[in-house]
Amino acid sequence: MDSRKPVKAVKDVVEAAAEKVGDVLNPEVPGAPGSAPPTVDGPTTPHEPLPPKKEQGTPETRTPTGAATGVPATAKGQQGAFLTTAQGARLRDTDHSLKAGPRGPVLLQDHHLREKITHFDHERIPERVVHSRGAGAHGVFVGYGTAERVTRADFLAKGRETPVFVRFSTVLGSRGSADTVRDTRGFATKFYTDEGTFDLVANNIPVFFIQDAIKFPDIIHAGKPHPDREIPQAQSAHDTFWDFVSLHTEAQHHAIWNMSDRGIPRSYRMMEGFGVHTFRLVNTAGETALAKFHWKPKLGVHSLTWEEAQLASGVDPDFHRRDLYDAIEAGAYPEWELGLQVLPDTPEETFAGIDLLDPTKIVPEELAPVQPVGRLTLNRTPTNFFAEVEQVAFHPGHLPPGIDVTNDPLLQGRLFSYVDTQLTRLGGPNFAQIPVNRPHAPVNDMLRDGFHQHAVHAGVAPYRPNSLDGGNPFPAGDADGAFVDVPVTVAEAPKVRANPVSFDDHFSQARLFWLSMSPVEKEHIIRAYTFELGKCYHQPIRERQLRCLANIDPVLCAEVATGLGLPAPEPTVPLADVAPSPALSQVGREWPADGRMVGIVVDPAAGLDGVGQVRRAVFAAGMVPLLIAPHGGTVDGLPVQRTFATARSVEFDVLLLAGAPTPAPDALPARDAKAGAAAPATVDPRVSLLVEECWRHAKAIGAWAGGVGVLEQAGVAGTPGVVSGDSGLDVLTAVQRLMATHRVWERFPASVA
């Protein structure tokens, strides 16, 4: 028998399963992602590709000139039972890059890695394959001088100002998706240093789903919308995502971060950034150290609740983009400190038992404190969104002297991938000449011609050595600030597709994260897992992910299982004995209120006692006041930013009530569905809804004058975080103290410790 043909018995089983798919899935319930149900443990017996679902169709198979071919439509799909290269060569492994020993580096000769990544990089045009929805801004970075002992990078020198461009983004959604989805966020910073461009391509989560770049197409294919229907958009609550991460358990640490409040930032201004990888630093003496990069927001880390995120996606899909640009326009410039976790550069490349080359691991800040080395301030919005935000091109290999890469296999693959993807997305090799990408250092690279060549190069000898151009360009030495490829010794080892044994621990740090959360944060994680897994069509995928949760924490697993109506499985590995890291929690600290949005409900009929003073005080405190009135225009000469019809609680960090407005003329369910909310007839029901939502989302609420009566009618007067007083300024002062913790956390119920 030809070994390349499927075994007939296996094919018959597959076809029989496909014929019964209607009975198995219940044809009255649409939405099954595939044509056959999965199994809990995952299939292991090779078989031909499953047939299309019964409702799917494809264009007829015809020649380019319209002639029928008689070939079945399935001939255009994938063929055979085994994984192959694009040329049909069967593969035994697609999970590990070819390395010089288990610890690398990755070898350039890995043709499968290059083919897989190259094809992935060119899958979509013209938007980015990932991080396609984003927002960007210009700013400045000022060094503190505190990094000079560990790196020669000049932009970190004391007082040195470096222009920057920052692009924030979501990962999974298309350019037209919403900002407030549950997703990882990108935090990419382009430093235009005097020594060449430095791109710190970071995320708001410090670990990644995978340990090796060869699997990047797999995790993104799993997270993206299902390819048959292109849904769901910009979210992980579906079968293919949880199918992958439950089978590829190295993803569990990233997944629990994503299921936490970190998965839905309140604002880009309140979002941490992490370089994810371990980098190697070298100082002027040639001494090296390992380091991880951190961005710490001046306003602290804050998140939306799940309900707020859902409201914002409908009320304002551009919530984060608008927040960023409005803050800059208002002069509440977003700021972050850049920090380094500096770690010894040992031959083992480990710290406190943590493998520093594993991108699914963190080093807790309690073990290695983050040392501030500079401050980033964003102070200018783009002039043209396409020219700047869409055409900016980052690459983790854009490094200045003093910063070098390590053998992290995810980072090593990114060093290839980022240049390759720009070739398609930006139309050729000269993307560095687009204005937003142009370096602020002299360029003499001997690279010539190609699509979109903007430079007009002189001379006749773009090669080295030459005499016709006087020998120019000349190689630089150490005294000339040349880039340093740190001469790290590569251990003698066989070529293998494998990971070090230390990469096998997939659960201990996920457990560390869970144990570091406050009770309310744990409740949110339980809710997120329950929602996401509840959106999966197939029960075996839910059961498999519950097995993973059992290896993280039995309480987490049991609570999610209860929500899914499934039994909680027992752990399959010993639960790790880890010490919590308080730095991972968003609860328990205080932060400045700069740039917060303060909603002020006014009643024009009763007068605006104290509103003008409060409005001026809010501006003076670096916050933004938004007057909410029954109608637009002005009231008593003050501009109205929101009406009862257009306002929604998610827009405001705090709500102030300066009056008790009676129902406005448009407070009709036929005119505004929000007007149908149950409320006392004496107050506009949309104002009552604002109060009710802000209270439910644990936001600070304050009232004076007639507004006190609104609190009493809503039944929230005297509850935690609700302030009333005789004057607007007194109420504002009390509310500002509450705002420092972001939310009134005690208002959230918690049933877990």
Side-chain angles (χ1 to χ4, degrees), residues 529-577:
Y529 273 115
T530 305
F531 175 86
E532 296 254 329
L533 293 171
K535 298 288 281 188
C536 290
Y537 192 90
H538 292 294
Q539 180 167 316
I541 290 174
R542 301 186 195 118
E543 293 178 11
R544 191 191 308 138
Q545 178 59 27
L546 285 174
R547 291 181 181 178
C548 296
L549 297 185
N551 291 334
I552 297 172
D553 187 83
V555 173
L556 170 62
C557 181
E559 295 295 330
V560 175
T562 298
L564 297 175
L566 295 172
E570 294 296 321
T572 58
V573 298
L575 293 177
D577 182 14

Side-chain angles (χ1 to χ4, degrees), residues 20-101:
K20 295 179 180 178
V21 69
D23 296 332
V24 174
L25 298 181
N26 184 354
E28 296 181 359
V29 181
S35 60
T39 59
V40 172
D41 293 324
T44 57
T45 304
H47 58 75
E48 288 287 290
L50 295 177
K53 294 168 63 180
K54 61 181 181 180
E55 77 272 19
Q56 294 174 330
T58 60
E60 293 183 15
T61 53
R62 293 180 176 267
T63 70
T65 53
T69 65
V71 176
T74 53
K76 294 183 293 187
Q78 58 268 40
Q79 306 294 317
F82 297 98
L83 180 68
T84 74
T85 67
Q87 307 304 316
R90 289 183 177 176
L91 295 166
R92 68 177 65 250
D93 185 355
T94 191
D95 287 342
H96 303 91
S97 299
L98 188 64
K99 309 180 188 75

Side-chain angles (χ1 to χ4, degrees), residues 8 12 54 66 96 126 162 165 167 171 212 326 338 379 389 399 433 447 471 478 484 521 562 593 618 649 663 750:
K8 184 177 185 303
D12 290 343
K54 61 181 181 180
H96 303 91
T162 301
F165 186 84
R167 187 177 189 272
V171 171
D212 193 311
D326 283 355
L338 180 64
N379 54 21
V389 180
L399 300 165
Q433 297 183 20
L447 305 177
D478 289 342
V484 179
E521 290 171 304
T562 298
V618 170
S649 61

Side-chain angles (χ1 to χ4, degrees), residues 167-252:
R167 187 177 189 272
F168 304 104
S169 57
T170 55
V171 171
L172 294 177
S174 67
R175 282 186 61 190
S177 57
D179 278 345
T180 59
V181 296
R182 184 180 294 280
D183 195 3
T184 306
R185 264 72 180 178
F187 189 146
T189 306
K190 186 176 290 290
F191 298 82
Y192 303 97
T193 86
D194 294 338
E195 299 180 300
T197 299
F198 171 41
D199 287 345
L200 180 53
V201 192
N203 283 341
N204 74 319
I205 292 177
V207 293
F208 203 62
F209 284 108
I210 53 174
Q211 296 167 323
D212 193 311
I214 199 170
K215 289 180 280 194
F216 190 66
D218 300 311
I219 179 56
I220 299 302
H221 285 166
K224 284 284 190 178
H226 293 196
D228 54 345
R229 299 187 178 192
E230 190 64 10
I231 56 176
Q233 176 63 239
Q235 58 180 294
S236 55
H238 57 92
D239 290 71
T240 58
F241 174 81
W242 290 103
D243 185 39
F244 180 87
V245 302
S246 60
L247 290 169
H248 240 72
T249 53
E250 69 196 61
Q252 291 296 317

Side-chain angles (χ1 to χ4, degrees), residues 613-625:
Q613 286 181 312
V614 168
R615 188 171 178 272
R616 289 190 294 271
V618 170
F619 273 128
M623 300 183 291
V624 179

